[in-house]
C-alpha cells in the first residue's frame, strides 16, 4: 500500500511537470508572436474586414478583459472602431455618432464605475467635431479623471468652432501635467487622402496615421501592449469589399491574398506610397476643405484607389 501511494505521488509530480512544460511552451509561442513597437505600426495597404464600424457603439476585445485605455469618441474613431481596438487590444472604445463634449462626463463616470475598467490608466478623447468644448466642462472632466493620463485629439474639421476647441485643449495642457495633445490638425494638414468627401471622417490612410500618433503618445507616457497581443500581420486579412456596409456583408469579403500579409518596415516618415482607401464619391481630392455644419455619420461606400499624396512625418505630441 505504501508503495502504491508513493507511486501515485510520483505520477502526480510527473503530470505537474508536464503541465508546466505545456504552459511554458504556450508562453514562449506568445512571446515569439509579439511585435516590436516599430512593427506594430507598420503601414498596412488594406484593412481587414472587421476594422470598420460594426453597428456597436461600445467596442472592445474580449480576449483582454482588463481594460487599460478608454477611448471616448464621436463618429471619427467610431467609424474604424475595430481597428482602434486591434491596435490597442486592452482598450475599450465608447463612441457615438454626433457626440459632443458635454456627453463625455456621463460616459467617463459610467465606464470608470465598472469593475472591469478599474485598471484604466489612459483616456483618449476624440471630441470637438460636433460643437464647442467649454472650459468648465473640460476642467471638470480632467478633475474627474483623477491622476489618469488624458490624451486630447486636436480636431481637424472644417467647422467654425474647431480653432476654439484647439485653443481650449492647449489651455488644458498648459494647466494640467497629465493632459497631452495628439496634434491631428498638424499631422493631417494638406493630406486630403486622409479624409472622405466630407473632409471629417477618415479613410484607411487617415485612421492609420491617427492611430500611429495616438500609440506613440501612449507609449511615450508609459503604456505597453498587453502580453499575448495578436500579431499585426497574422493570417492574410480579407479585403474590405468595394461597398462597405454591415459587418455581415464584410464577412463575405474577398478571400486573403498573399500580398496582403505584411508591409514595409517603419521609417522616419510614413511610406510615400500607401494604398489609399478613399470615398467612392471623392472625385476632386484637391479641393479645399468645405465649410459645413452637417452632423457626421460613419463612412459609407469606399473604393480602393491609387495614392495621391505622400504621407507626412509624425510629430511627437
Amino acid at each position: 500500500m505504501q508503495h502504491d501511494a508513493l507511486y501515485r505521488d510520483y505520477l502526480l509530480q510527473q503530470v505537474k511537470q508536464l503541465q508546466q512544460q505545456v504552459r511554458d511552451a504556450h508562453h514562449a509561442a506568445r512571446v515569439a508572436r509579439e511585435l516590436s513597437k516599430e512593427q506594430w505600426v507598420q503601414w498596412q495597404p488594406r484593412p481587414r474586414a472587421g476594422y470598420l464600424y460594426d453597428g456597436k457603439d461600445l467596442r472592445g476585445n474580449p480576449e483582454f478583459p482588463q481594460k487599460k485605455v478608454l477611448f471616448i469618441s464621436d463618429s471619427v474613431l467610431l467609424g474604424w472602431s475595430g481597428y482602434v481596438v486591434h491596435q490597442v487590444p486592452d482598450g475599450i472604445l465608447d463612441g457615438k455618432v454626433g457626440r459632443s463634449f458635454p456627453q463625455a462626463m456621463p460616459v467617463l463616470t459610467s465606464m470608470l464605475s465598472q469593475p472591469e475598467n478599474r485598471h484604466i490608466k489612459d483616456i483618449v478623447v476624440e471630441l470637438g467635431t460636433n460643437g464647442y468644448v467649454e472650459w468648465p466642462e473640460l476642467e471638470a472632466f480632467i478633475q474627474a479623471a483623477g491622476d489618469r493620463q488624458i490624451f486630447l485629439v486636436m480636431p481637424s474639421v472644417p467647422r467654425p468652432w474647431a480653432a476654439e476647441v484647439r485653443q481650449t485643449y492647449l489651455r488644458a495642457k498648459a494647466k494640467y501635467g497629465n493632459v497631452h495633445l495628439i496634434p491631428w490638425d498638424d499631422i493631417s494638414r494638406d493630406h486630403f487622402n486622409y479624409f472622405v468627401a466630407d473632409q471629417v471622417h477618415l479613410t484607411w490612410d487617415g485612421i492609420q496615421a491617427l492611430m500611429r500618433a495616438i500609440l506613440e503618445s501612449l507609449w511615450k507616457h508609459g503604456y505597453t501592449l498587453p502580453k499575448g497581443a495578436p500579431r499585426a500581420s497574422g493570417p492574410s486579412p480579407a479585403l474590405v469589399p468595394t461597398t462597405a456596409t454591415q459587418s455581415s456583408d464584410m464577412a463575405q469579403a474577398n478571400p486573403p491574398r498573399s500580398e496582403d500579409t505584411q508591409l514595409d518596415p517603419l521609417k522616419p516618415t510614413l511610406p510615400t506610397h500607401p494604398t489609399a482607401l478613399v470615398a467612392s464619391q471623392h472625385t476632386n481630392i484637391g479641393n479645399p476643405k468645405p465649410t459645413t455644419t452637417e452632423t457626421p455619420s460613419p463612412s459609407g461606400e469606399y473604393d480602393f484607389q491609387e495614392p495621391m499624396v505622400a504621407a507626412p512625418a509624425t510629430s511627437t505630441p
Side-chain angles (χ1 to χ4, degrees), residues 24 74-76 79 94 106 125-126 139 174 180 184 196 241 252 270 311 317:
D24 292 343
D74 50 36
S75 58
V76 172
D94 190 306
V125 178
E126 183 278 302
E139 194 165 37
H180 318 285
W184 179 234
V196 299
Q252 305 300 324
L270 296 178

Side-chain angles (χ1 to χ4, degrees), residues 151 173 180-183 213-214 216-218 220-221 315-317:
F151 300 83
K173 177 177 171 54
H180 318 285
L181 303 181
I182 309 295
I214 290 173
E216 286 180 344
S217 191
L218 287 170
K220 180 180 178 181
H221 295 93
S315 57
T316 303

Side-chain angles (χ1 to χ4, degrees), residues 16-217:
K16 290 180 180 179
Q17 291 179 10
L18 288 173
Q19 290 174 337
Q20 184 60 47
Q21 291 174 9
V22 170
R23 286 193 292 268
D24 292 343
H26 287 170
H27 175 72
R30 285 195 300 270
V31 171
R33 289 196 303 268
E34 291 172 6
L35 300 176
S36 67
K37 292 179 180 179
E38 289 76 13
Q39 292 171 315
W40 193 256
V41 293
Q42 285 176 349
W43 199 277
Q44 301 183 46
R46 296 176 178 87
R48 301 186 187 192
Y51 286 171
L52 281 168
Y53 179 55
D54 66 349
K56 299 177 181 178
D57 294 335
L58 189 65
R59 197 78 183 266
N61 187 339
E63 295 184 8
F64 298 89
Q66 286 192 356
K67 307 303 181 185
K68 293 185 179 179
V69 183
L70 170 62
F71 292 85
I72 302 177
S73 80
D74 50 36
S75 58
V76 172
L77 280 185
L78 180 64
W80 290 99
S81 53
Y83 181 64
V84 173
V85 299
H86 178 273
Q87 292 299 95
V88 185
D90 53 358
I92 185 167
L93 184 146
D94 190 306
K96 199 81 171 178
V97 174
R99 176 177 282 164
S100 56
F101 198 87
Q103 300 169 335
M105 180 66 85
V107 173
L108 178 69
T109 304
S110 174
M111 296 298 287
L112 295 184
S113 67
Q114 300 174 24
E116 62 270 24
N117 298 332
R118 65 183 181 277
H119 298 289
I120 285 177
K121 297 179 180 179
D122 301 310
I123 302 170
V124 179
V125 178
E126 183 278 302
L127 294 172
T129 301
N130 300 299
Y132 292 93
V133 176
E134 301 295 339
W135 173 250
E137 293 175 335
L138 177 57
E139 194 165 37
F141 181 93
I142 295 170
Q143 292 170 358
D147 59 356
R148 297 174 179 86
Q149 302 301 304
I150 300 174
F151 300 83
L152 302 175
V153 178
M154 300 285 269
S156 177
V157 292
R159 303 281 168 81
W161 54 78
E164 186 171 331
V165 171
R166 292 192 288 268
Q167 288 299 315
T168 304
Y169 284 173
L170 285 167
R171 180 181 176 184
K173 177 177 171 54
K175 183 172 181 179
Y176 293 96
N178 64 325
V179 172
H180 318 285
L181 303 181
I182 309 295
W184 179 234
D185 56 328
D186 290 334
I187 294 170
S188 63
R189 183 174 292 118
D190 297 328
H191 289 277
F192 300 103
N193 64 317
Y194 283 2
F195 301 92
V196 299
D198 64 7
Q199 292 296 291
V200 174
H201 299 95
L202 306 182
T203 64
W204 176 229
D205 282 352
I207 189 59
Q208 287 190 94
L210 177 53
M211 282 307 300
R212 174 175 174 170
I214 290 173
L215 274 168
E216 286 180 344
S217 191

